Amino acid sequence: MGVQGGVMDGTEPHATTAASSWDVMISYCWADAAWVLAMCEILRTEGNLRVWIDRDFMAGSTVAAMANAVKSSRVIVPCITPSYIKSANAMQELKFAFDLRKPIVPVRSGSNADIEGTEAAFMTATLLYTRVETEDLSHPSRLRAVALRLLKQILNAMGQAESPPLATNNSIGLSLGKRNKPTRQSNLTQRFPATTLSVCTLQPCMGRFTRRSQRHSPNREQKDRHWLARQRIRASNRNGSEEL
């Protein structure tokens, strides 16, 4: 974040309390503000995420605002660059998130030689990061593609079961939602609907049901037929014994 007092670009600050709940907190250095803010808007509009960023939410004590943002956010996204590593406030945010064991989804940009071997690299060494190349910064379409990759990583970190709904994006075929798992049905006809089985027969035999479907392999179908034949033979033998 690289806070030096006040709010960027004269933007009016909005108060944030510790009780606030955010999906993502973006930690960055002001030197990288141009492309970070552009990605932030994509996460908000196309990912429908509640994103905390210092430009929009900074009031009162700088340290308290940063701490509250980290604690009340589900995922922390540090935008690690050579400038980020040199920013004491930005590194403080990352260390605090690391100590709290918050889910961290890192973004990297700039020379890897300047990043490797630093505390930031150590704290994110085992994490999959999203790479922003220099060429991406001057092409909005490429930066958007990077932001969508980042969005996918964020949703994975949040957990698909709790993922927020995504805006429809037919142009790139983005599909990051989660299908609802069907509930268990007690009725056999509901458990095996005709729409999912090309052939499905339920044959009562000795109080049991035998399910035959084209989804089964030929070996399984053959075993089912053999089992059914054996049951019929046993039933026939029992009936013959009773008659005698």
Side-chain angles (χ1 to χ4, degrees):
M1 182 167 76
V3 177
Q4 298 175 1
V7 180
M8 290 182 59
D9 302 330
T11 305
E12 186 68 22
H14 302 279
T16 301
T17 64
S20 299
S21 178
W22 305 95
D23 296 317
V24 179
M25 184 267 193
I26 297 182
S27 173
Y28 71 104
C29 178
W30 282 5
D32 308 310
W35 62 268
V36 171
L37 295 177
M39 293 180 65
C40 173
E41 289 306 312
I42 294 173
L43 295 179
R44 286 173 171 171
T45 58
E46 301 198 37
N48 196 26
L49 297 178
R50 297 164 297 171
V51 182
W52 191 100
I53 195 166
D54 65 338
R55 185 195 66 169
D56 300 330
F57 307 99
M58 179 63 68
S61 169
T62 298
V63 176
M66 291 189 301
N68 289 335
V70 173
K71 289 190 293 185
S72 60
S73 298
R74 297 165 65 185
V75 177
I76 310 301
V77 177
C79 299
I80 303 173
T81 65
S83 300
Y84 184 93
I85 295 171
K86 297 176 183 178
S87 170
N89 287 305
M91 288 300 301
Q92 187 176 16
E93 292 171 354
L94 179 57
K95 292 176 184 177
F96 189 45
F98 183 81
D99 291 340
L100 291 180
R101 299 181 181 273
K102 285 282 186 175
I104 298 175
V105 180
V107 175
R108 278 196 185 189
S109 184
S111 174
N112 279 328
D114 295 332
I115 297 176
E116 294 298 336
T118 63
E119 284 186 284
F122 171 78
M123 287 184 282
T124 59
T126 61
L127 303 176
L128 180 65
Y129 62 85
T130 302
R131 178 74 185 174
V132 180
E133 302 293 349
T134 304
E135 295 79 7
D136 300 331
L137 304 181
S138 56
H139 294 81
S141 60
R142 294 185 58 167
L143 186 61
R144 177 173 173 272
V146 174
L148 293 178
R149 291 199 301 270
L150 173 62
L151 172 60
K152 184 175 182 179
Q153 295 300 325
I154 292 172
L155 294 182
N156 288 338
M158 290 170 59
Q160 292 295 336
E162 300 178 355
S163 298
L166 292 179
T168 302
N169 191 341
N170 295 328
S171 61
I172 61 170
L174 180 65
S175 177
L176 300 176
K178 178 178 175 63
R179 294 181 180 179
N180 292 328
K181 186 176 181 180
T183 57
R184 179 175 294 180
Q185 302 292 336
S186 59
N187 193 320
L188 290 175
T189 59
Q190 292 178 338
R191 292 178 62 187
F192 308 115
T195 56
T196 61
L197 298 174
S198 56
V199 174
C200 183
T201 60
L202 298 175
Q203 300 177 344
C205 180
M206 305 301 291
R208 300 179 61 182
F209 289 91
T210 301
R211 177 188 173 196
R212 298 174 58 205
S213 168
Q214 286 185 350
R215 287 187 178 181
H216 288 176
S217 64
N219 292 336
R220 178 58 183 272
E221 290 183 358
Q222 185 177 10
K223 291 180 180 179
D224 288 344
R225 288 196 297 270
H226 291 172
W227 181 86
L228 184 59
R230 288 195 298 270
Q231 295 300 323
R232 288 175 176 171
I233 292 173
R234 291 173 183 172
S236 177
N237 291 338
R238 281 194 292 270
N239 292 335
S241 299
E242 291 175 358
E243 291 177 358
L244 293 176

